Amino acid sequence: MDDFVLDKTVLTKGEKREILLGLQGLSAVPFLSKETALKKMALLFDKRINWIEVDFSRWGNANREDTTKFEIIKEATFNEKSIQFQYVSSNGELTERKIDPLKLIYKRHDWYLYGFCHLREDFRLFKITRMTQLRALSQAFLREYRGFNVLPI
């Protein structure tokens, strides 16, 4: 909110450090806008922000493809629109999937999409790097209908 004011005296020194560390960690997520917030908080707390760097991206040319995938998934998740893609399982099986995306998860060096899979009629995790031909659909879904009413962070 434009008129929001944070009273920094209500935060402990440790809480201020944790807020800055959290915002610095978010700088590694390619689809979130956080630089302005990080700079403002660092100025507010009189702290240095360049002591740590987190980079979840892969080496090489994969960044452009990853950024495109994350942008499609982000928009579909926030707008409650289904997505479709081809998925290669860990044993090499190729399937066409239609998913109602609910949230992204970063776990042990990899990004995953959690959502409702129409093919399996159940909630599933999908490794982002195994998705190809990802596209957003115009079909809407309701998070509450899927039994998942937590807002994406």
Side-chain angles (χ1 to χ4, degrees):
M1 296 184 304
D2 291 335
D3 59 345
F4 178 77
V5 177
L6 175 65
D7 182 0
K8 66 180 183 178
T9 61
V10 299
L11 300 171
T12 67
K13 192 175 189 176
E15 290 169 333
K16 291 175 187 178
R17 269 195 309 260
E18 290 173 6
I19 289 170
L20 289 175
L21 181 60
L23 286 172
Q24 284 175 293
L26 286 177
S27 66
V29 181
F31 52 88
L32 295 178
S33 173
K34 64 284 166 194
E35 287 302 317
T36 304
L38 176 58
K39 289 176 185 172
K40 285 181 181 179
M41 289 300 207
L43 289 172
L44 179 68
F45 299 154
D46 301 317
K47 299 287 182 190
R48 286 176 284 160
I49 60 171
N50 60 355
W51 70 275
I52 188 171
E53 183 173 329
V54 179
D55 186 353
F56 293 136
S57 65
R58 294 181 281 156
W59 294 103
N61 280 341
N63 287 340
R64 197 171 343 150
E65 181 183 332
D66 290 349
T67 301
T68 301
K69 284 181 183 179
F70 282 117
E71 189 61 33
I72 291 170
I73 292 169
K74 177 184 83 169
E75 290 300 317
T77 302
F78 287 136
N79 295 319
E80 297 181 343
K81 300 286 185 181
S82 299
I83 59 172
Q84 192 166 3
F85 53 88
Q86 289 192 347
Y87 190 73
V88 180
S89 70
S90 59
N91 57 2
E93 179 188 357
L94 180 67
T95 55
E96 185 77 22
R97 299 296 181 113
K98 179 179 165 189
I99 305 297
D100 297 340
L102 298 172
K103 68 177 172 178
L104 283 169
I105 300 169
Y106 184 78
K107 185 169 179 83
R108 194 172 165 101
H109 311 293
D110 288 305
W111 284 101
Y112 295 86
L113 173 63
Y114 179 75
F116 184 82
C117 175
H118 290 258
L119 178 66
R120 303 291 188 232
E121 296 184 354
D122 199 4
F123 294 94
R124 292 283 194 264
L125 276 174
F126 298 91
K127 193 171 186 177
I128 303 293
T129 56
R130 292 185 182 159
M131 295 177 175
T132 61
Q133 300 179 20
L134 175 66
R135 63 187 175 94
L137 302 174
S138 59
Q139 179 183 351
F141 68 93
L142 294 174
R143 298 178 72 78
E144 294 79 15
Y145 175 74
R146 294 288 178 223
F148 193 89
N149 55 10
V150 177
L151 293 175
I153 296 175

